[in-house]
Amino acid sequence: MISSNILKEANRLVESDRHKSYGDKLENHENIAALWSTFLRKEISSHDVAVCMILVKIARLMHAKKMDNYIDMAAYAAIAGEIFERKK
């Protein structure tokens, strides 16, 4: 799969009707941030959540290289960018 296909698949994931299952991307990441903040006793932002999810995918790559991790990293990068823009 070439890079444009990875980006197309990531775009399909980000722009699909996943909001029906998980809610709005920003609201979902804010909910996760609130839960992580409580658990970690440290303020975590919705943007931090998206970036940390990229790190989860990187950690998985350290064990085994799988295409879905690259696709998910691209999708989370797009989500992080969207959160950044929406929170301005």
Side-chain angles (χ1 to χ4, degrees):
M1 185 179 282
I2 59 173
S3 56
S4 63
N5 290 338
I6 291 171
L7 292 172
K8 285 177 189 172
E9 180 61 16
N11 184 63
R12 187 191 67 74
L13 290 174
V14 171
E15 296 299 325
S16 70
D17 61 356
R18 293 172 75 92
H19 64 277
K20 291 178 183 174
S21 297
Y22 303 110
D24 175 74
K25 291 183 281 287
L26 175 57
E27 184 178 344
N28 183 44
H29 282 71
E30 286 181 341
N31 289 339
I32 294 167
L35 292 167
W36 286 7
S37 294
T38 299
F39 180 77
L40 296 170
R41 298 179 184 181
K42 177 183 183 338
E43 188 66 27
I44 304 295
S45 72
S46 52
H47 184 267
D48 293 337
V49 170
V51 172
C52 287
M53 293 307 296
I54 294 169
L55 295 174
V56 167
K57 299 302 178 174
I58 291 170
R60 289 181 178 176
L61 285 172
M62 293 170 73
H63 173 72
K65 309 281 189 286
K66 294 190 177 182
M67 187 54 63
D68 67 304
N69 289 315
Y70 297 104
I71 293 166
D72 289 348
M73 284 190 296
Y76 279 117
I79 290 169
E82 179 176 334
I83 290 169
F84 173 77
E85 285 297 314
R86 289 175 63 183
K87 297 288 281 187
K88 279 193 200 177

